[in-house]
Amino acid sequence: MGASALTGPVEIIGTGLIGTSIALACRRAGLEVLLTDAAPDHVRTASGLGAGRPREAVDVPQLVVVAVPPDALGAAIRQTLDAAGPETFVTDVGSVKGAPLDAVASHPAVSRYVGSHPMAGTEHSGPLSASAAMFDGRPWAITPGPDATPAAVHVVEALVRVCGAVPVHLPPGEHDRAVARTSHVPHLMAALVAGTLAGATPAHLALSGTGVRDVTRVAGGDPRLYSQIIGGNAEAVAALLGEVRERLDLVLEAVAGKDRVGLESLLAYGQAGTRAIPGKHGAAPQPMEAVRVAVPDHPGELARLFADAGASGVNIEDVRIDHDPGRPVGLVELDVIETRAEELRVALESNGWTTHR
Amino acid sequence: MGASALTGPVEIIGTGLIGTSIALACRRAGLEVLLTDAAPDHVRTASGLGAGRPREAVDVPQLVVVAVPPDALGAAIRQTLDAAGPETFVTDVGSVKGAPLDAVASHPAVSRYVGSHPMAGTEHSGPLSASAAMFDGRPWAITPGPDATPAAVHVVEALVRVCGAVPVHLPPGEHDRAVARTSHVPHLMAALVAGTLAGATPAHLALSGTGVRDVTRVAGGDPRLYSQIIGGNAEAVAALLGEVRERLDLVLEAVAGKDRVGLESLLAYGQAGTRAIPGKHGAAPQPMEAVRVAVPDHPGELARLFADAGASGVNIEDVRIDHDPGRPVGLVELDVIETRAEELRVALESNGWTTHR
């Protein structure tokens, strides 16, 4: 069952960054969108952006998306279930899934509630930073409780697909442990690094490169919002942060003790971790093929090859060069997706290159 | 004195990522570039990319750039000074400045050596990832020792400008303390976070977003290279990392103790740190002006305004919206660089918008 289970209307409660982006994605798909927010100005802004129209009392949404800040979430889901008719399903998009479910576990309508969580967003807040494309290709967790009906799960999964995201099903507690690792602890570590910059001299800060910007970027997010999110996942976060502190002690010992081997192995463990992060869409790697090209050993010939390869439109995934000590010719291997290898060969040959089949 | 103090030839010793990028930038500026590397294949690759030609015994470079890995650096600078004639200046591009200077402090030709360090690079290595644009707009530290002549400093500063970078002058010891803060400790913290992912289950890793990718990206760099760099700055790094460990203890207490206020203030300190990082080029902020536009309160009107503003080509730095409770019209303020405010007003008025002067 794909996106067609969602026919609308969709009501968005909380027209902040995430709520408004979901609204824009639904409008992009031609669905009717109703907007609700405690602040009428936010509804006007979101509506002005094309995200939908203000909800009226007579409206009967098919799906309500509760997108309010974490501390207000449990109560907002409860009130939504109170007001929802038998045809209305409810989801929320909070960053922690255990607590909201606990807040409504005994509600008579809980079977129509399925929590979810899009892994998307920026360090900005508010509807003006929203985008219909916010969730394209992103993972979006779906975390039904034990009482949720399949129909409710299907409608929420359809929302995820309408927003262009990739559904990832897991139980609420497991979700919370996962995001402690993939989101909350990284955020705290980024904030710790950023904190060392807060009092630094301008002369030192002048030597900032892309590395420190990358490491600290996420720490630019709203402290009040993130203290709610992380505070709401305290157990999982504290457990993992304790492990990190022990490893930090090992790093400190290795640096202070000039233990190069120890330091290198800790860095290697980190490098392995960066390779564990899945590629786009969590897609399986595609089979590659090596296109072999003879490259004369003159200045600039390699550059010319890469320019011609770039012009072919076939993406080069990796390159190996074998210089032949006996002759002034090198063999270059260009790794491309198997199905496009011949296309690249033909393009290069038309530019005078010699390829090997 | 600008880039004209550098007339060439420039010799690059070590045609890795940084060396080859410097070579390409010099070739971009029309300078003659000579290439040296312990591995002849690397010279052939760099030359193939258009980075220069192999150095010959008869060549007399104006400036030699030593771009070899950290552990080989001191010896390589010494050998270069041994071989350099009276017209030849020497710099290196190592990430730590104290140790290389110590290695040559008593050399008879030390007055012609000025260490430097471009704050640029990627987590990739090798000449194939090099780019002439690598240093555009980046800071590049210049760290003369007490014996360096002004002529030597000028030639190195000219190299920095030829590469499109922004020179930042500071003494070697201060540089090392600065990069402990802006580069080495962030790298170690990124590696610690990445290490928590190395053994995680695929189901958990599936919930990875841009935040954790940003935090861990720099940890993808070569462990052997970074253990040399960070190990070479052990004192400054250990001191700062010790401070970070104490703050991590505070974060852990706040999370485990459900101390929301404490957690929020630690996060706020981190947010302030992200704002301390200078903007592009370390440029001073330009004066802004608010362009005021009346926006009718209909669905989609705001989106139309932003589309028209985008089409004007004038960059919007910030936006404020004031909805008028008495009338169905909102007032939008678009902050733009003062010198382009009138251009934006005219563009919007030509699209039927009402602006206020």
Side-chain angles (χ1 to χ4, degrees):
Chain A
M1 176 162 304
S4 54
L6 184 66
T7 49
V10 178
E11 178 182 0
I12 307 292
I13 299 183
T15 51
L17 177 75
I18 299 297
T20 305
S21 296
I22 294 172
L24 288 169
C26 288
R27 291 296 300 130
R28 177 178 70 174
L31 294 169
E32 185 181 8
V33 178
L34 318 166
L35 304 171
T36 299
D37 196 300
D41 274 7
H42 289 181
V43 172
R44 291 174 68 170
T45 298
S47 170
L49 291 170
R53 64 165 175 82
R55 157 125 196 211
E56 288 158 22
V58 296
D59 287 314
V60 180
Q62 181 197 18
L63 174 68
V64 181
V65 181
V66 183
V68 304
D71 283 352
L73 198 48
I77 299 170
R78 211 166 37 236
Q79 286 161 23
T80 303
L81 286 173
D82 287 345
E87 305 294 308
T88 296
F89 298 101
V90 178
T91 187
D92 75 298
V93 293
S95 303
V96 180
K97 305 320 305 173
L101 182 59
D102 289 345
V104 297
S106 55
H107 195 288
V110 70
S111 65
R112 294 203 303 280
Y113 164 70
V114 172
S116 73
H117 174 211
M119 303 301 299
T122 72
E123 64 277 16
H124 303 293
S125 308
L128 289 172
S129 301
S131 159
M134 175 81 65
F135 312 101
D136 288 348
R138 298 266 188 250
W140 188 316
I142 299 178
T143 61
D147 300 309
T149 62
V153 175
H154 286 143
V155 170
V156 173
E157 188 167 330
L159 173 72
V160 170
R161 295 191 190 281
V162 160
C163 292
V166 180
V168 180
H169 293 263
L170 66 177
E174 187 152 0
H175 165 278
D176 292 352
R177 282 188 296 281
V179 294
R181 187 178 300 265
T182 61
S183 178
H184 302 160
V185 165
H187 192 111
L188 290 173
M189 296 289 273
L192 280 164
V193 174
T196 69
L197 306 174
T201 65
H204 286 201
L205 290 167
L207 297 192
S208 297
T210 52
V212 66
R213 285 181 172 87
D214 281 352
V215 173
T216 57
R217 180 170 301 113
V218 75
D222 177 13
R224 196 163 38 152
L225 172 64
Y226 283 95
S227 67
Q228 290 183 31
I229 292 172
I230 294 170
N233 198 19
E235 205 177 306
V237 172
L240 186 58
L241 206 58
E243 290 177 32
V244 171
R245 187 194 35 195
E246 286 177 19
R247 288 198 150 261
L248 175 53
D249 283 344
L250 293 178
V251 173
L252 201 34
E253 275 176 45
V255 174
K258 298 198 187 286
D259 172 11
R260 280 293 193 86
V261 173
L263 179 58
E264 189 179 330
S265 79
L266 284 155
L267 289 171
Y269 195 59
Q271 189 189 46
T274 65
R275 295 174 173 162
I277 300 173
K280 265 192 161 172
H281 309 263
Q286 306 194 39
M288 294 284 140
E289 184 171 323
V291 172
R292 297 181 183 79
V293 190
V295 181
D297 194 22
H298 303 149
E301 282 296 290
L302 258 180
R304 193 168 70 83
L305 173 67
F306 292 140
D308 289 345
S312 77
V314 180
N315 201 46
I316 311 295
E317 308 289 332
D318 205 355
V319 180
R320 287 173 301 283
I321 298 181
D322 217 350
H323 293 285
D324 185 334
R327 300 195 301 154
V329 177
L331 176 70
V332 175
E333 293 192 336
L334 307 170
D335 281 350
V336 299
I337 289 169
E338 188 180 60
T339 48
R340 303 200 68 190
E342 193 55 23
E343 181 186 343
L344 178 61
R345 277 191 201 96
V346 167
L348 292 176
E349 284 164 356
S350 76
N351 280 314
W353 294 101
T354 302
T355 76
H356 305 282
R357 278 183 180 67
Chain B
M1 177 162 304
S4 55
L6 184 67
T7 50
V10 177
E11 179 182 359
I12 306 291
I13 298 183
T15 50
L17 177 75
I18 299 298
T20 305
S21 296
I22 293 172
L24 288 168
C26 288
R27 291 296 300 130
R28 178 179 69 175
L31 295 169
E32 186 181 10
V33 178
L34 316 167
L35 305 170
T36 299
D37 196 299
D41 275 6
H42 289 181
V43 172
R44 289 174 69 170
T45 299
S47 170
L49 291 169
R53 64 165 174 83
R55 157 123 197 214
E56 289 158 21
V58 296
D59 287 314
V60 180
Q62 181 196 19
L63 174 68
V64 181
V65 181
V66 183
V68 304
D71 282 353
L73 198 49
I77 299 171
R78 212 166 37 236
Q79 287 162 22
T80 303
L81 286 174
D82 287 344
E87 305 293 308
T88 297
F89 298 101
V90 179
T91 187
D92 75 298
V93 292
S95 304
V96 181
K97 304 321 304 173
L101 182 59
D102 289 345
V104 298
S106 54
H107 195 287
V110 70
S111 65
R112 294 202 303 279
Y113 164 69
V114 172
S116 74
H117 174 211
M119 303 301 299
T122 72
E123 65 276 16
H124 303 293
S125 309
L128 289 172
S129 300
S131 159
M134 174 81 65
F135 313 100
D136 288 347
R138 298 266 188 249
W140 187 318
I142 300 178
T143 61
D147 300 309
T149 61
V153 175
H154 286 143
V155 169
V156 173
E157 187 167 331
L159 173 71
V160 170
R161 296 192 189 280
V162 159
C163 292
V166 180
V168 181
H169 293 263
L170 66 177
E174 186 152 359
H175 165 279
D176 293 353
R177 282 187 296 280
V179 294
R181 187 179 300 266
T182 60
S183 177
H184 302 160
V185 165
H187 192 111
L188 290 173
M189 296 289 272
L192 280 164
V193 175
T196 68
L197 306 175
T201 65
H204 286 202
L205 290 167
L207 297 192
S208 298
T210 52
V212 67
R213 286 180 171 88
D214 281 352
V215 174
T216 57
R217 180 169 302 112
V218 76
D222 176 15
R224 196 162 38 151
L225 172 65
Y226 282 96
S227 66
Q228 292 184 31
I229 291 172
I230 293 170
N233 198 19
E235 204 178 307
V237 172
L240 186 58
L241 205 59
E243 290 178 32
V244 171
R245 190 198 30 199
E246 287 178 19
R247 287 199 150 260
L248 175 54
D249 283 345
L250 293 179
V251 173
L252 201 33
E253 276 177 44
V255 173
K258 298 196 188 288
D259 172 11
R260 280 294 192 84
V261 173
L263 179 59
E264 189 178 331
S265 77
L266 284 155
L267 289 171
Y269 195 59
Q271 190 190 46
T274 65
R275 294 174 174 163
I277 300 173
K280 267 192 161 171
H281 311 262
Q286 305 194 40
M288 295 282 140
E289 185 171 325
V291 172
R292 296 182 184 79
V293 189
V295 180
D297 194 21
H298 303 149
E301 282 296 291
L302 259 180
R304 193 168 71 82
L305 172 66
F306 292 140
D308 289 345
S312 77
V314 180
N315 200 48
I316 311 293
E317 306 290 332
D318 205 355
V319 180
R320 287 173 301 283
I321 299 181
D322 217 350
H323 293 283
D324 185 336
R327 300 196 300 155
V329 176
L331 175 70
V332 175
E333 293 193 336
L334 307 170
D335 281 350
V336 299
I337 289 169
E338 189 181 60
T339 48
R340 303 201 67 192
E342 193 55 23
E343 182 186 343
L344 177 62
R345 276 192 203 96
V346 167
L348 292 177
E349 284 164 356
S350 75
N351 280 313
W353 295 102
T354 303
T355 76
H356 305 283
R357 279 182 179 70

